[in-house]
């Protein structure tokens, strides 16, 4: 099938390896991948800050670009939640209300797409490390994605998986991290401690934004623990 | 008179604001669609039995569950063979705790039990001095029901000697007959409704274990203000 | 100091306090264990939640009818029902009752509504002796402090601190064991019960069908409060109604499970009147004060009306990573945590309190924990929207307008990435200093290195 891959702004600018891995995986599975150059962002930053007009200014053209897409795959639980859950809310009582619902129903978060839509878990990847998984809150609670990433990691050769004892938010929260840096940092410290406690070499997630926050703290702490996007793990040979 | 007018008008003002607010209907929980307000006759909670913790079908299972729940709650549950075993069971507690006086109320079972102890008894029925009750070592009362699901006891001020008897003395003894055990909370509420209809006692209390607190470091301490001990004698 | 700077300043202090973090985490992790066990005992916790949400929906969306029915039933058995539009009226009603009864001393069982209207302070100013009887409330009262948490008022204190407090204030603290300290409070309180003129309580549920007020507690202090003094006063919000007596069969175990991980709270007591003819004890008079205090404004907001479904179990506070890190007192509100962040802007002013809705990652843990399915974290988003729409912050709006222009034009977006890449060396020079535009981030965290080739560059180049 033709997959329209929605690459979120921070993956595009800061974590291109995650996006490249998604393209390569989807193509290896025999799908045609298209990436509309005109879409840069889903509009979540202004949306979460309450600036819904500005969010619509960004989201409306994105919606139009996705109008004819057969399937939209997005490499972030958070941006996935924006499209699937919040676009219908954002465009309620506007001419694009119906379109927002349609696009929402055709959009998949990357790991959920592989497991639930394609029925694929074994991608032949090898990653001989001990890893733990961080559930981004939007993917986990808005989209209910919990088992798909674990199913995929379960099939990675040489990978040893260990859960963190405590499930908690990493403290990123978009502009929250800058508006309330002290709270954000404290939450991140709790998260890093839980991950460190597992003895893992890597924290894997399906959300680069959470990983950016966690990695930022780990690097400052001089920790050896590293973060990596799920797609990159699945693309290791 | 003036005061009354203000009070009445405040009531009307609040009700007026409520009626104005409710002109716009709110979405039903779990749906994001606008649903017109409607009055249902059946309570959504009326199926509570299907969702609450399971209780087992037979009476024996329910007694086992009640006993297990009591143990978890640190309540003492004694299942006796017959009414005649009550005095001995009570005397054993009285001796162990060196009771010198007790509080109780007028009732077929409670009279039988308290008289058998041969101790001074403060009866609450016709009024009593709370300072005197405070000096009692135990309060002995009947009850309305035992609940297998929770390990709880239902008392009312009518069945159990008023409001204070079951909570002021340091040890509350509950006297119950086997047939008073109900399976679950919905059954307990149904029983109360059936028994008291439109003449409810002014206090109905579901007692689940002895008084407790966790306010200091979330560590359980029994006997915060109410009884440190709760004993249920059932035959 | 504005409410927002006060919040930020207290939050900075608390988030650095590792002792505080550890005390709260330990307490709440043990709560999580028992709560999960009790939830698992339900045959279907999810169906129970849905039914509870629907029942509260019905109660709140017919609030006028239920309040009229409740009042009629209560009055029929001699209870005096008072209506207060705001805190001042409620305080005046209560003062008037105390004057009429020539009361001096009041024993109180836990009531968040009394915190909401600052009742203790007002009564003490008028010369009354007011004693909180719930152990946690008693402890924070001795410290002249607001409750830290709506259900666990003293959870921020260690046994050592409580021992010192008792020693100083009561001259009695045999050891720091919770058992010993609890018994000190029990002894002190006993005589207060026996001599108090008035007993004061809150209410957890008001049953419209039968005209009852149900009070949930573990200690027995509310039972004694409602048994011994000659006059009883109950203050509760108008939103506390449940339609039917039997609804309690669902709500009592759910409140206990969500709130404290208990199968049932120790005492759940339904009062339907003062002492009735033929009854041997109980108050001669019972006054029930129904408090609006801007709840009707929340009711008028159909989008967030479900926040009036709240049964004050505290489950959303317990799971909230913000609450766990900043602590209850930082909020500066009666109701803290997620539900406080949702309702306070409505009860006390959106612009003054919108920061509570901003101080969230929208993780949704609260919504998942709520036993009556209040859409808490989405309401935080709506508060943000309402605040930004009614009074946009100039520079923030400008920033998002600019961002929208850049994001919508591929050439601008590409240029922005190039500028970002080029200025990286500069950024690392000023990192963490006053000149650093990303200081809020870089003070505690590293920025990710930005690669020269973005995803879109790669995509274009491979074609």
């Amino acid at each position: 099938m033709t997959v329209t891959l929605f690459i979120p702004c921070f993956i595009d600018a800061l974590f291109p390896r995650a996006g490249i891995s998604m393209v390569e995986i989807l193509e290896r599975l025999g799908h045609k991948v298209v990436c509309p150059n005109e879409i840069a962002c889903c509009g979540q930053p202004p949306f979460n800050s309450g600036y819904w007009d500005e969010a619509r200014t960004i989201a409306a053209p994105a919606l139009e670009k996705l109008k004819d897409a057969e399937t939209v795959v997005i490499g972030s639980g958070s941006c996935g939640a924006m499209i699937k859950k919040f676009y219908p809310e954002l465009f309620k009582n506007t001419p694009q209300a119906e379109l927002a619902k349609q696009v929402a129903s055709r959009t998949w978060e990357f790991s959920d797409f592989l497991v639930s839509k394609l029925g694929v878990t074994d991608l032949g990847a090898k990653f001989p490390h001990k890893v733990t998984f961080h559930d981004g809150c939007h993917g986990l609670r808005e989209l209910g994605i919990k088992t798909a990433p674990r199913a995929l990691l379960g099939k990675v050769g040489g990978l040893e998986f260990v859960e963190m004892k405590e499930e908690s938010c990493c403290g990123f929260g978009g502009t929250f991290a800058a508006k309330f840096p002290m709270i954000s940092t404290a939450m991140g410290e709790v998260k890093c401690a839980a991950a460190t406690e597992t003895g893992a070499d890597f924290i894997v997630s399906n959300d680069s934004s959470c990983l950016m926050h966690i990695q930022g703290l780990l690097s400052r702490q001089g920790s050896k623990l590293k973060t990596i996007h799920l797609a990159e793990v699945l693309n290791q040979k | 008179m003036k005061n009354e007018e203000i009070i009445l008008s405040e009531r009307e003002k609040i009700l007026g604001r409520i009626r104005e607010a409710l002109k716009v209907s709110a979405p039903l929980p779990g749906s994001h669609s606008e649903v017109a307000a409607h009055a249902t006759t059946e309570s959504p909670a009326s199926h509570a039995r299907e969702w609450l913790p399971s209780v087992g079908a037979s009476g024996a299972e329910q007694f086992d569950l009640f006993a297990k729940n009591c143990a978890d709650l640190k309540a003492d549950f004694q299942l006796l063979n017959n009414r005649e075993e009550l005095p001995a069971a009570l005397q054993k507690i009285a001796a162990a705790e060196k009771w010198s006086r007790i509080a109780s109320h007028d009732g077929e079972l409670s009279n039988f039990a308290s008289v058998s102890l041969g101790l001074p008894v403060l009866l609450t029925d016709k009024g009593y001095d709370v300072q005197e009750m405070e000096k009692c070592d135990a309060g002995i009362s009947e009850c309305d029901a035992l609940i297998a699901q929770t390990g709880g006891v239902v008392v009312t001020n009518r069945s159990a000697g008023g409001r204070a008897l079951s909570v002021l003395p340091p040890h509350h003894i509950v006297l119950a007959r086997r047939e008073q055990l109900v399976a679950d909370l919905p059954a307990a509420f149904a029983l109360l409704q059936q028994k008291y209809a439109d003449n409810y006692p002014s206090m109905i209390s579901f007692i689940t274990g002895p008084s407790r607190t966790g306010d200091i470091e979330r560590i359980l301490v029994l006997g915060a203000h109410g009884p440190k001990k709760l004993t249920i004698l059932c035959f | 100091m504005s409410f927002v700077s006060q919040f930020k300043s207290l939050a900075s202090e608390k988030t650095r306090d590792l002792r505080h973090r550890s005390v709260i985490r330990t307490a709440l992790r043990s709560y999580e264990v028992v709560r999960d066990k009790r939830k698992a005992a339900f045959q279907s916790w999810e169906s129970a939640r849905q039914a509870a949400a629907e029942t509260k929906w019905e109660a709140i969306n017919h609030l006028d009818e239920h309040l009229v029915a409740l009042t009629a039933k209560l009055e029929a058995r001699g209870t005096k029902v008072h209506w207060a539009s705001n805190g001042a009226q409620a305080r005046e009603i209560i003062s008037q009752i105390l004057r009429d009864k020539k009361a001096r001393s009041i024993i109180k069982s836990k009531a968040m509504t009394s915190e909401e209207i600052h009742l203790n302070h007002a009564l003490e100013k008028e010369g009354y002796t007011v004693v909180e009887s719930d152990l946690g409330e008693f402890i924070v009262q001795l410290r002249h402090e607001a409750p830290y948490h709506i259900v666990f008022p003293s959870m921020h204190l260690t046994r050592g601190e409580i021992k010192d407090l008792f020693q100083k204030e009561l001259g009695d603290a045999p050891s720091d064991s919770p058992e010993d300290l609890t018994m000190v409070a029990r002894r002190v309180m006993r005589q207060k019960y026996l001599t108090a003129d008035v007993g004061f309580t809150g209410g957890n549920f008001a049953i419209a069908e039968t005209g009852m007020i149900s009070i949930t507690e573990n200690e027995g202090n509310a039972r004694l409060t409602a048994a011994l003094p000659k006059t009883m006063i109950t203050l509760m919000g108008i939103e506390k109604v449940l339609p039917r007596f039997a609804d309690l069969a669902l709500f009592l175990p759910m409140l206990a499970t969500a709130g404290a991980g208990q199968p049932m709270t120790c005492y759940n007591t339904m009062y339907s009147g003062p002492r009735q003819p033929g009854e041997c004890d109980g108050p001669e008079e019972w006054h029930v004060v129904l408090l609006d205090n801007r709840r009707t404004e929340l009711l008028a907001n159909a989008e967030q009306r479900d926040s009036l479904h709240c049964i004050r179990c505290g489950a959303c506070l317990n799971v909230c990573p913000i609450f766990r890190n900043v602590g209850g007192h930082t909020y500066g509100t009666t109701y803290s945590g997620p539900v406080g962040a949702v309702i306070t802007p409505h009860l006390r002013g959106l612009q003054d309190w919108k920061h509570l809705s901003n101080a969230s990652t929208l993780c949704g843990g609260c919504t998942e924990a709520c036993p009556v399915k209040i859409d808490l974290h989405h309401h935080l988003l709506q508060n943000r929207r309402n605040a930004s729409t009614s009074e946009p912050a100039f520079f923030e709006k400008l920033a998002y307008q600019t961002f929208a222009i850049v994001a919508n034009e591929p050439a601008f977006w590409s240029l922005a990435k190039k500028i970002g890449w080029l200025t990286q060396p500069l950024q690392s020079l000023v990192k963490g200093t006053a000149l650093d535009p990303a200081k809020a981030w870089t003070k505690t965290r590293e920025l990710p290195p930005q690669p020269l080739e973005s995803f879109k560059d790669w995509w274009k180049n491979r074609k």
Side-chain angles (χ1 to χ4, degrees), chain A residues 11-28:
Chain A
I11 290 191
D12 175 34
L14 301 170
F15 306 101
R17 296 292 334 153
I20 294 166
S21 300
M22 290 175 215
V23 173
E24 291 178 352
I25 290 168
L26 292 169
E27 288 182 344
R28 261 207 315 280

Side-chain angles (χ1 to χ4, degrees), chain B residues 26 29 44 78 80 83 89 98 105 112 117-118 135 138 140 146 158 183 187 193 198 203 210 212:
Chain B
Q78 300 182 23
L80 310 174
R83 193 177 119 125
K98 302 189 177 65
H105 63 94
F112 170 70
L117 277 171
K135 291 175 192 148
I140 299 177
L146 307 178
R158 210 174 291 166
Q193 272 175 312
D198 254 340
M203 184 208 80
R212 62 197 55 220

Side-chain angles (χ1 to χ4, degrees), chain B residues 3 7 10-15 17-32 34-46 48-55 68-69 72-73 124-128 130-131 133-134 147 149-150 155 157-158 161-170 185-190 192-193 197-228, chain C residues 27 30-31 41-45 47-48 50-51 53-55 57-58 60-64 67-68 71 73 75 77 81-85 89 96 133-137 139 151-154 157-159 162 178-179 181-183 185-186 189-191 193-195 209-210 212 218-221 223-224 226-228 232 238 244-250 252-253 260 262 264-276 279-283 290 292 296 299-300 302 305 375:
Chain B
N3 201 12
I7 291 162
E10 223 45 55
R11 171 190 157 119
E12 287 320 310
K13 275 187 216 162
I14 293 173
L15 287 173
R17 286 198 293 270
I18 293 171
R19 287 174 185 133
E20 189 58 35
L22 292 179
K23 282 182 181 165
V24 182
S25 64
L28 273 173
S31 74
H32 288 285
E34 305 262 333
V35 179
H38 65 292
T40 51
T41 46
E42 193 187 77
S43 162
S46 63
R49 178 164 290 149
E50 298 156 33
W51 313 316
L52 292 173
S54 54
V55 291
K68 187 195 160 291
N69 283 330
D72 288 348
L73 293 162
T124 56
D125 308 84
K126 301 215 158 64
Y128 61 93
V130 287
Q131 293 285 1
M133 187 190 278
E134 159 67 12
I147 309 170
Q149 190 170 50
T150 62
V155 299
N157 54 341
R158 210 174 291 166
R163 296 190 184 200
L165 177 63
S166 53
V167 79
L168 191 63
L185 285 163
F189 279 93
L192 287 166
Q193 272 175 312
D198 254 340
N199 182 23
Y200 285 99
S202 68
M203 184 208 80
I204 300 169
S205 194
F206 285 62
I207 300 175
T208 313
S211 157
R212 62 197 55 220
T213 185
D215 276 346
I216 301 175
E217 292 190 6
R218 309 277 301 117
I219 292 166
L220 177 71
V221 177
L222 299 181
H225 291 288
K228 293 186 180 79
Chain C
S30 72
Y31 153 84
F42 273 67
Q43 294 172 79
S44 174
W45 175 255
S47 303
Q50 181 62 27
E54 286 173 19
T55 304
W57 187 93
E58 193 206 330
I60 293 299
N61 285 279
H62 300 92
L63 187 57
D64 52 335
L67 286 173
V68 168
T71 310
K73 286 274 182 187
E75 285 171 342
R77 306 190 71 183
V81 179
H82 309 259
W83 300 69
S85 281
Q89 285 181 8
Q96 186 61 51
S133 59
D134 172 89
L135 178 59
E137 293 281 347
I139 291 167
V151 177
F152 316 127
S154 61
L157 301 171
T158 61
R159 60 182 83 186
I162 295 165
E179 169 82 29
L181 294 169
T182 302
M183 290 312 127
R186 180 186 169 104
M189 215 62 76
R190 270 299 158 120
Q191 281 314 309
Y193 277 119
L194 301 179
T195 55
E209 178 191 33
T210 50
M212 291 174 185
N218 271 310
E219 298 182 0
N221 59 317
R223 282 283 310 270
L224 289 168
L228 303 179
M232 174 174 168
I238 50 173
R244 304 162 199 83
F245 186 49
D247 293 337
L248 289 171
L250 186 65
L252 298 180
Q262 289 179 279
M264 279 281 273
T265 316
C266 193
Y267 299 100
N268 287 286
T269 310
M270 294 112 234
Y271 297 98
S272 52
R275 179 179 181 172
Q276 301 294 299
E279 294 183 349
C280 68
D281 58 8
L290 297 172
D292 178 353
T296 44
L299 191 74
R305 188 176 293 161
D375 203 7

